[in-house]
Amino acid sequence: MPTFYYALLLAALCLLHMVIAHDAHQQQAAFGLEQQSETPESVLRKHDQVDEATAHEKTFKGGDTLAYVTPWNNRGYDIVKEFKGKFDYVSPVWYYIEAHEFMLIGEHDVDENWIKEVRDGGGAKIVPRFQFRNWEFQDYQSFVSNAEEEASKVVDIIMNQVRKYGFDGIVLECGYPTFFPVFVQQLSTALHASGKQFIIVLPPLRSEEQKKYLNADIFASLARVIDRFSIMTYDYSSHIPSGGPSAPIDWIIDNIEQLTNDENRHQLLVGLNMYAIVYHETSMPQPLVLKDVIEKFEDWIEEDEPFDWDREAEEHHVKDMDGSTIWLPTLRSIRNRVHLAEDYGVGLALWEVGQGLDYFYNLL
């Protein structure tokens, strides 16, 4: 058989194996999920039930798991302590770098006592997020035009925080990292010289135009200097007034397959949203923390119909009493994405754990 056709056959067999494994996984039950149908009543009854036997044990068999924690959802600070051992990385969303004189905002949020508690017996690496904020086009243009000088200033600012608080590395969110090759290389060199981890946030692929800035070749090149990539595979339908799924399963698969190869696939952390999105004809889509969804369900107990399951997207949605539609993560939708990640050997990035429900973490 010619080499080309042999390689094609092998690739097809590998893909078929992943599809079969994913379908088989969907038939398996998880703690708190005895049947396929989930209802408002079942969520109300079970959302705080934790599998104590595995609360501090990582059961997810894919790559690494990153948990984002935000100051505006304090529950996340407790989640990463209550489920120690399940998260390889914890990223508190503390820092912003303003364009004006590269002002650093957010150091006041650093909680050293909490860091000690998370590390004690848990083993998670603390990698706070640094995000470029309020940058205009001319700011980016200046940053790129004076790359060597400007990059070194920002690298010094970041590294000063890493050293001061003994962080294990950082997460950087700056749009497309390909726009800043000098900065990315300098920051990578500085972090790795100090034995620290470098994680970058990536926008998900939605169009062919994006592939000019992010594709398999670019990912492979970046993977040589970056340890992990947190890709934001959620908010898929947030620009559509009528709404839709937050993270269609096929779209997640497309991002995995179009960006990674067998050598670097383990470096990708697939984003999972821990929040719902509400769509209404008369207003813009709104994210909704799941504890607020729970409060809504308390009014629906007498009309306990199962959630609607979108078979193609593998997500649940439900009609609110005001006519709006809520697309929300559930045990079933998260379980399917966890198993997909296991099948592909990729990791997970949870945005963000303060917004989810306790029993979600039984699946990790």
Side-chain angles (χ1 to χ4, degrees):
M1 181 183 293
T3 303
F4 170 76
Y5 292 107
Y6 179 79
L8 191 62
L9 177 60
L10 185 62
L13 288 172
C14 288
L15 180 60
L16 179 61
H17 169 73
M18 289 179 180
V19 171
I20 292 172
H22 178 56
D23 289 345
H25 269 144
Q26 292 192 58
Q27 306 306 316
Q28 298 175 3
F31 182 90
L33 182 61
E34 296 89 6
Q35 57 184 8
Q36 295 295 333
S37 296
E38 292 179 74
T39 68
E41 188 277 333
S42 71
V43 174
L44 280 171
R45 181 163 41 88
K46 299 179 180 180
H47 72 88
D48 57 355
Q49 293 181 8
V50 174
D51 184 0
E52 298 293 345
T54 62
H56 302 294
E57 174 188 344
K58 183 178 178 180
T59 57
F60 169 55
K61 304 304 182 184
D64 292 328
T65 301
L66 183 153
Y68 286 101
V69 177
T70 61
W72 54 89
N73 281 314
N74 288 334
R75 176 63 182 145
Y77 286 102
D78 293 327
I79 287 290
V80 294
K81 292 188 294 183
E82 292 172 14
F83 294 92
K84 284 181 184 180
K86 288 188 176 289
F87 309 117
D88 300 284
Y89 298 100
V90 172
S91 182
V93 178
W94 285 336
Y95 292 106
Y96 299 93
I97 299 173
E98 303 278 355
H100 179 64
E101 298 182 351
F102 304 130
M103 182 181 297
L104 184 72
I105 308 295
E107 186 177 359
H108 63 278
D109 282 320
V110 177
D111 187 337
E112 293 183 89
N113 289 328
W114 172 80
I115 291 174
K116 291 176 182 177
E117 290 181 58
V118 173
R119 281 178 171 159
D120 183 23
K125 295 179 174 65
I126 306 298
V127 287
R129 191 196 70 173
F130 289 76
Q131 182 189 63
F132 286 9
R133 188 172 70 173
N134 296 330
W135 286 48
E136 304 291 342
F137 175 76
Q138 59 268 26
D139 298 317
Y140 287 110
Q141 193 174 40
S142 174
F143 190 64
V144 172
S145 300
N146 305 290
E148 292 288 346
E149 180 182 353
E150 303 283 69
S152 63
K153 292 178 183 177
V154 179
V155 169
D156 286 344
I157 290 170
I158 292 173
M159 290 306 298
N160 283 340
Q161 293 296 300
V162 171
R163 296 188 190 99
K164 181 175 180 179
Y165 295 107
F167 298 138
D168 299 296
I170 70 153
V171 173
L172 175 69
E173 184 174 350
C174 62
Y176 290 100
T178 44
F179 293 162
F180 316 106
V182 174
F183 170 58
V184 169
Q185 181 62 65
Q186 284 192 17
L187 184 54
S188 172
T189 299
L191 286 165
H192 291 148
S194 299
K196 306 299 182 180
Q197 297 275 299
F198 188 16
I199 301 172
I200 270 190
V201 177
L202 295 178
L205 293 177
R206 295 174 178 269
S207 67
E208 289 298 315
E209 179 69 18
Q210 288 177 282
K211 294 180 183 178
K212 295 178 182 178
Y213 317 112
L214 185 61
N215 54 48
D217 290 337
I218 291 172
F219 187 92
S221 178
L222 290 169
R224 299 188 188 102
V225 297
I226 296 166
D227 298 294
R228 298 291 183 269
F229 299 85
S230 172
I231 189 166
M232 298 185 288
T233 41
Y234 35 78
D235 293 348
Y236 179 83
S237 303
S238 60
H239 63 292
I240 304 173
S242 59
S246 293
I249 204 85
D250 286 345
W251 178 56
I252 296 175
I253 292 173
D254 286 344
N255 273 268
I256 295 171
E257 294 186 347
Q258 292 179 31
L259 290 178
T260 66
N261 57 42
D262 290 343
E263 285 72 36
N264 57 37
R265 188 158 288 165
H266 69 282
Q267 294 175 253
L268 186 67
L269 310 178
V270 170
L272 295 186
N273 58 295
M274 298 286 105
Y275 56 90
I277 297 186
V278 182
Y279 296 92
H280 198 284
E281 293 179 355
T282 61
S283 59
M284 294 294 291
Q286 293 293 327
L288 195 63
V289 178
L290 289 186
K291 67 179 179 62
D292 294 335
V293 177
I294 291 290
E295 292 177 4
K296 287 179 174 289
F297 289 169
E298 291 174 350
D299 298 326
W300 298 0
I301 280 296
E302 294 183 3
E303 299 180 14
D304 192 42
E305 294 294 325
F307 300 137
D308 293 314
W309 177 252
D310 187 307
R311 293 177 60 87
E312 185 175 344
E314 298 188 23
E315 270 186 53
H316 277 118
H317 57 97
V318 63
K319 278 284 186 184
D320 197 346
M321 297 174 70
D322 64 2
S324 62
T325 300
I326 304 173
W327 286 82
L328 70 161
T330 57
L331 282 178
R332 185 180 178 186
S333 69
I334 291 176
R335 180 202 61 185
N336 288 4
R337 283 151 182 77
V338 166
H339 288 157
L340 179 74
E342 291 177 332
D343 293 339
Y344 274 94
V346 298
L348 301 171
L350 312 179
W351 183 270
E352 46 86 11
V353 293
Q355 298 181 349
L357 300 176
D358 288 5
Y359 72 168
F360 286 172
Y361 307 107
N362 294 325
L363 301 173
L364 303 176

